[in-house]
Amino acid sequence: MNRSKSDALHHEALSHLVGGVNSPVRAFKSVHGNPIYFEKASGAHVTDVDGNVLVDFVQSWGPLIHGHSHPKIIDAVHEKMLNGTSFGAPHLGEIELAKRVKKRFPHMDKVRFVSSGTEAVMSAVRLARGYTGRDMLVKFEGCYHGHVDSLMVSSGSGLATFGIASSPGIPQKTVATTLICPLDDLDAVKFLFEEHGDDIAAVVIEPLPANNGLLIQRPEFLSGLRTLCDAHESLLIFDEVISGFRFKKGSYGDLCGVTPDLTALGKVIGGGLPVGAYGARHEIMEQLSPLGPVYQAGTLSGNPLAMAAGATTLDLLDGEAYDYMEKLGALLEERMNIVLEKHGHPMRLVRMESLFWFSPGDGKPAIRADQIAKDAANLYADVHHSLLNRGYMLAPSAYEIGFISTSHDSSHILGLVTAMDEALTEMELTP
Ligand SMILES: *Cc1c(COP(=O)(O)O)cnc(C)c1O
């Protein structure tokens, strides 16, 4: 596949943008290549600047549950745009989207819109701290919550419960407010509550961790967190920025029968335009300015174009849409695993409805970060490269998941499986 124009643009971008990109994972660093410059995209396909057409399973990293350029979403945005691109004042579109969000997240009496997932989680954390009057947070190794200072913390070596900053520039005093635990280890959380219970404002978790592999949590673990939070009057925050609106029966919390106090949303909620949101019951949300003392604001929050894209996206997500994506997902899971097994390749596809991940290893899929095989990145890099050359775009990182949209069909799924079969055959022939 010729990518000379992409490569030239990347080279030029290196003089103007840091590493040529505006978000690090786009840089293809972990799969050893150059980023591909997109020119346009429609449905399941993207066309790059060299004219190559790729079947896209990245879908802008999650937001595009109806694929690229869905005509109804484009029309809705276009129509709104003619009335103005930003008001900085209330408008009907905000109520429309809030009603749709509340329908799917019934524990939310009120919603606040922001412009990204990071902003949603960051603001939910501030609200939880303001509401409880406490500073400390509990987070889990392997969960990503955006680039929020107090959540960019990981465990150091050993069983340290105080984490280390995942990036320079995060004050040590901020890191010290975050306690860190392995996923699926309720005893570890219990221990933290015994030690710090009165100081813990909130437990923050991706109930379906999907940014460091797809680590499918047991409902009992999540309900255990609920019980501990209740016992210590701490809030439970579900970060469903990536998992929200992905399941027919509701949120991942709903699937597990666990209701959080606060939920943070992003990605699908904006249908490809920048939207994040957080919501909770009245007494919590009313602590937020202008009703309460906890301050949070945004010039472009509730942007009319973004609200319209979000509302149209959610309207298109009926039962039929979910059934359709589930059918494609099941087909992918079954056929892909047959091919991986046939080649004796140490990787298996794990899946929840329209979300999938190539889990390294051929045994039980990991549910904790430390269970992910260390050679994941190497295993994946070769496969990624070969699939790309066959016209299939997967995330350029072994730890990022794939997304099925309503714009995919069985030919895209079976094509990906065939491409994998060919790629693995080729790799066996050229050791
Ligand atoms: C993507 C993501 C975020 C960050 O959202 P941005 O819109 O990239 O700021 C936060 N939490 C989770 C679970 C995510 O998947």
Side-chain angles (χ1 to χ4, degrees), residues 294-377:
V294 178
Y295 194 74
Q296 185 271 311
T299 301
L300 291 173
S301 294
N303 174 270
L305 309 189
M307 296 292 107
T312 309
T313 295
L314 298 189
D315 286 345
L316 290 167
L317 273 177
D318 53 12
E320 215 174 302
Y322 286 110
D323 290 343
Y324 179 73
M325 289 187 283
E326 167 61 26
K327 212 174 69 193
L328 293 183
L331 180 69
L332 176 64
E333 182 179 357
E334 185 203 323
R335 299 295 175 89
M336 187 59 85
N337 282 329
I338 290 174
V339 163
L340 292 169
E341 262 175 62
K342 180 180 89 178
H343 287 275
H345 193 274
M347 209 161 70
R348 289 295 172 268
L349 188 130
V350 297
R351 179 186 71 91
M352 281 285 303
E353 296 198 22
S354 53
L355 308 176
F356 66 88
W357 180 52
F358 289 100
S359 170
D362 52 12
K364 229 171 112 216
I367 60 170
R368 288 167 50 147
D370 61 359
Q371 293 166 344
I372 302 175
K374 298 286 170 275
D375 58 351

Side-chain angles (χ1 to χ4, degrees), residues 62-377:
L64 305 179
I65 199 162
H66 300 298
H68 294 275
S69 315
H70 189 288
K72 289 208 167 121
I73 300 171
I74 300 277
D75 282 351
V77 173
H78 186 248
E79 194 186 312
K80 288 292 170 205
M81 190 161 62
L82 300 176
N83 293 335
T85 53
S86 177
F87 298 145
H91 61 96
L92 176 61
E94 296 166 298
I95 302 173
E96 298 275 330
L97 186 56
K99 280 185 184 165
R100 284 160 175 78
V101 172
K102 282 174 59 178
K103 224 161 97 188
R104 286 153 199 261
F105 291 86
H107 77 91
M108 294 186 184
D109 291 322
K110 291 201 176 80
V111 182
R112 169 65 60 89
F113 291 115
V114 292
S115 299
S116 72
T118 296
E119 213 186 337
V121 183
M122 183 177 76
S123 309
V125 162
R126 178 178 299 159
L127 180 56
R129 284 169 161 163
Y131 176 80
T132 57
R134 301 171 178 181
D135 286 347
M136 296 194 93
L137 303 173
V138 174
K139 82 152 290 224
F140 297 88
E141 188 75 42
C143 287
Y144 175 67
H145 301 290
H147 59 90
V148 179
D149 270 8
S150 54
L151 296 171
M152 288 267 302
V153 177
S154 60
S155 58
S157 52
L159 284 173
T161 52
F162 282 97
I164 52 168
S166 311
S167 162
I170 300 174
Q172 193 45 47
K173 284 199 172 119
T174 304
V175 173
T177 60
T178 303
L179 303 162
I180 182 140
C181 255
L183 284 160
D184 196 46
D185 187 346
L186 207 52
D187 285 338
V189 188
K190 247 183 222 154
F191 174 76
L192 293 183
F193 269 105
E194 277 158 21
E195 297 285 301
H196 306 280
D198 294 344
D199 301 320
I200 295 173
V203 172
V204 186
I205 188 169
E206 282 182 84
L208 178 62
N211 282 280
N212 184 60
L214 187 64
L215 308 174
I216 300 175
Q217 297 303 294
R218 295 177 306 123
E220 300 75 32
F221 174 61
L222 299 175
S223 60
L225 296 180
R226 177 71 276 175
T227 306
L228 284 169
C229 285
D230 288 342
H232 295 272
E233 294 175 3
S234 304
L235 298 186
L236 181 60
I237 302 179
F238 278 179
D239 176 354
E240 295 227 38
V241 169
I242 201 164
S243 54
F245 309 104
R246 280 275 161 191
F247 309 120
K248 186 182 183 185
K249 293 211 171 104
S251 63
Y252 191 72
D254 289 336
L255 300 192
C256 296
V258 181
T259 307
D261 297 291
L262 272 151
T263 297
L265 296 168
K267 299 196 169 107
V268 170
I269 197 175
L273 269 78
V275 182
Y278 58 108
R281 60 183 181 269
H282 290 299
E283 56 166 334
I284 298 174
M285 292 309 278
E286 283 163 10
Q287 291 301 307
L288 204 55
S289 185
L291 293 182
V294 178
Y295 194 74
Q296 185 271 311
T299 301
L300 291 173
S301 294
N303 174 270
L305 309 189
M307 296 292 107
T312 309
T313 295
L314 298 189
D315 286 345
L316 290 167
L317 273 177
D318 53 12
E320 215 174 302
Y322 286 110
D323 290 343
Y324 179 73
M325 289 187 283
E326 167 61 26
K327 212 174 69 193
L328 293 183
L331 180 69
L332 176 64
E333 182 179 357
E334 185 203 323
R335 299 295 175 89
M336 187 59 85
N337 282 329
I338 290 174
V339 163
L340 292 169
E341 262 175 62
K342 180 180 89 178
H343 287 275
H345 193 274
M347 209 161 70
R348 289 295 172 268
L349 188 130
V350 297
R351 179 186 71 91
M352 281 285 303
E353 296 198 22
S354 53
L355 308 176
F356 66 88
W357 180 52
F358 289 100
S359 170
D362 52 12
K364 229 171 112 216
I367 60 170
R368 288 167 50 147
D370 61 359
Q371 293 166 344
I372 302 175
K374 298 286 170 275
D375 58 351

